[in-house]
């Protein structure tokens, strides 16, 4: 993901000021209780808000993330990217502990999305990276991984930090607990025929035609091939099946916008994990 710029600390992330500006209609009349959230230096419009809304400034959010990370420990901030001139800011953080099962190693990552639009909460998404092939698996997409982003900084800074600490801790546990799921998948046999059926289930024909398109057939064949030939795969277990899907998804071309969407929507890997990881 070349669009994620490497950093050594959060102080390396460029920041800017957010401001509110009164909105007017086409006749020049004030739109009651409606303001534009703008980036002060570029004048980019990020969203609308009411007169009671007070955006948390980017510097303030960096302070919150930094303070929370120091309290909790075991987190190193490694990268960032802007979406839409800073409309959304994504912070990439790596957990210091490696998840290992025999010779298969995973790194734990946390992605914090700072939303400056005024309508969505900031959120944290846990993820893993398989070291042998750099396949990424985002582990959670539900609202429980969010935290409120509209609290007033001056009077509620500690509340914001406490919420962020709770979010970090919850998502770090999600990553650590994935080790047990990984072990189950590695020990569960899976055949090529089962893999073929899984690809048909996960990549259905949208038109429900008896003869799927050539493009869809190629996608399914690619996933089945990765089950046996993907990096670190041998085509024998549910773990191989899951990593076929993560490799298929991870090594596509991503824009910042598309990558952010993968953090907040259920993708093939998420669906495959729920199907494959059964008692």
């Amino acid at each position: 993901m070349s669009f994620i710029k490497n950093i050594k600390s959060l102080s390396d992330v460029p920041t800017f000021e957010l401001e509110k500006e009164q909105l007017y209609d086409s006749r020049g009349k004030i739109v009651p209780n409606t303001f534009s959230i703008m980036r002060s230096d570029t004048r980019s419009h990020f969203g609308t808000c009411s007169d009671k809304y007070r955006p948390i400034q980017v510097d303030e959010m960096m302070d919150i993330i930094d303070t929370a990370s120091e309290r909790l420990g075991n987190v190193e901030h490694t990268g960032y990217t802007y979406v839409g001139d800073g409309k959304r800011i994504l912070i990439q953080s790596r957990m210091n502990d490696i998840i290992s099962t025999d010779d298969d190693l995973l790194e734990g990552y946390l992605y914090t999305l700072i939303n400056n639009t005024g309508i969505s909460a900031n959120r944290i998404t846990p993820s893993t990276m398989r070291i042998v092939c750099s396949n990424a698996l985002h582990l959670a997409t539900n609202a429980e991984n969010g935290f409120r982003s509209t609290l007033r900084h001056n009077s509620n800074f500690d509340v914001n930090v406490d919420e962020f600490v709770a979010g970090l801790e919850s998502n770090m546990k999600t990553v650590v607990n994935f080790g047990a799921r990984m072990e189950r998948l590695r020990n569960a046999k899976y055949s090529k025929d089962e893999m073929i059926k899984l690809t048909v289930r996960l990549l259905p024909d949208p038109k429900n035609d008896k003869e799927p398109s050539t493009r869809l057939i190629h996608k399914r064949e690619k996933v089945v091939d990765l089950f046996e030939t993907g990096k670190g795969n041998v085509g024998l277990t549910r773990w191989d099946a899951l990593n076929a899907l993560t490799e298929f998804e991870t090594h596509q071309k991503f824009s910042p916008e598309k990558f952010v969407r993968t953090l907040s929507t259920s993708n093939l890997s998420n669906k495959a994990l729920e199907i494959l990881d059964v008692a």
Side-chain angles (χ1 to χ4, degrees):
M1 294 179 292
S2 59
F3 56 83
I4 292 185
K5 299 177 175 62
N6 294 331
I7 57 174
K8 294 182 179 179
S9 70
L10 290 176
S11 62
D12 294 333
V13 180
T15 61
F16 52 83
E17 291 293 319
L18 294 167
E19 60 184 41
K20 289 166 51 177
E21 186 169 293
Q22 179 71 58
L23 287 181
Y24 296 82
D25 64 20
S26 59
R27 296 170 296 177
K29 293 186 177 181
I30 291 177
V31 179
N33 197 29
T34 307
F35 295 80
S36 170
I37 302 173
M38 304 182 70
R39 176 170 171 167
S40 61
D41 53 350
T42 63
R43 309 299 292 170
S44 295
H45 169 74
F46 289 165
T48 58
C49 63
S50 69
D51 58 352
K52 294 182 180 179
Y53 182 85
R54 187 278 210 185
I56 295 181
Q57 297 296 335
V58 179
D59 278 338
E60 296 172 339
M61 269 307 307
M62 294 302 163
D63 286 345
I64 290 169
I65 296 172
D66 195 40
T67 302
S69 301
E70 288 184 0
R71 286 188 190 177
L72 199 58
N74 198 38
V75 178
E76 178 183 358
H77 306 296
T78 57
Y80 82 96
T81 192
Y82 278 4
V83 178
D85 197 31
K87 191 173 187 178
R88 296 174 181 84
I89 302 173
L90 187 69
I91 305 296
Q92 180 192 65
S93 307
R94 184 176 64 237
M95 294 169 54
N96 294 327
D97 294 336
I98 299 291
I99 302 169
S100 64
T101 301
D102 296 332
D103 58 345
D104 218 338
L105 306 177
L106 300 179
E107 289 182 316
Y109 281 85
L110 302 168
Y111 291 94
T112 302
L113 183 63
I114 302 171
N115 194 311
N116 294 317
T117 64
I119 59 174
S120 298
N122 298 334
R123 58 186 299 119
I124 310 166
T125 299
S127 183
T128 65
M129 183 78 73
R130 193 183 188 198
I131 293 177
V132 69
C133 54
S134 298
N135 292 347
L137 175 62
H138 309 313
L139 296 174
T141 59
N142 58 56
E144 293 178 1
N145 298 303
F147 62 97
R148 287 174 291 170
S149 60
T150 57
L151 298 176
R152 292 182 180 275
H153 175 83
N154 292 335
S155 59
N156 292 285
F157 181 79
D158 289 337
V159 174
N160 273 317
V161 173
D162 290 342
E163 286 186 351
F164 194 84
V165 168
L168 279 178
E169 189 170 31
S170 173
N171 285 287
M172 289 170 71
K173 288 179 180 178
T174 297
V175 173
V176 171
N177 291 339
F178 184 72
R181 306 184 78 178
M182 175 183 174
E183 182 68 25
R184 287 196 298 272
L185 294 170
R186 282 172 58 92
N187 291 328
K189 297 298 182 182
Y190 209 64
S191 69
K192 184 175 181 179
D193 285 343
E194 288 176 304
M195 189 66 202
I196 292 172
K197 292 177 181 177
L198 179 65
T199 60
V200 173
R201 181 176 176 180
L202 293 175
L203 294 167
D205 190 332
K207 297 181 180 179
N208 295 316
D209 292 339
K210 293 182 179 180
E211 295 185 8
S213 67
T214 301
R215 182 181 181 187
L216 181 57
I217 291 172
H218 286 167
K219 283 184 177 181
R220 292 173 178 173
E221 289 176 343
K222 175 65 174 177
V223 175
V224 173
D225 180 60
L226 289 172
F227 172 62
E228 298 179 313
T229 66
K231 293 182 180 179
N233 287 355
V234 292
L236 294 175
T237 69
R238 290 175 181 261
W239 181 240
D240 294 326
L242 178 62
N243 281 291
L245 270 301
T246 58
E247 185 167 348
F248 177 74
E249 290 188 312
T250 300
H251 301 289
Q252 299 179 40
K253 290 184 178 180
F254 281 100
S255 64
E257 293 83 358
K258 185 177 179 180
F259 183 72
V260 166
R261 285 198 298 272
T262 69
L263 298 175
S264 57
T265 59
S266 181
N267 52 30
L268 290 178
S269 300
N270 300 139
K271 295 173 182 176
L273 179 59
E274 296 308 313
I275 294 170
L276 294 166
D277 187 24
V278 293

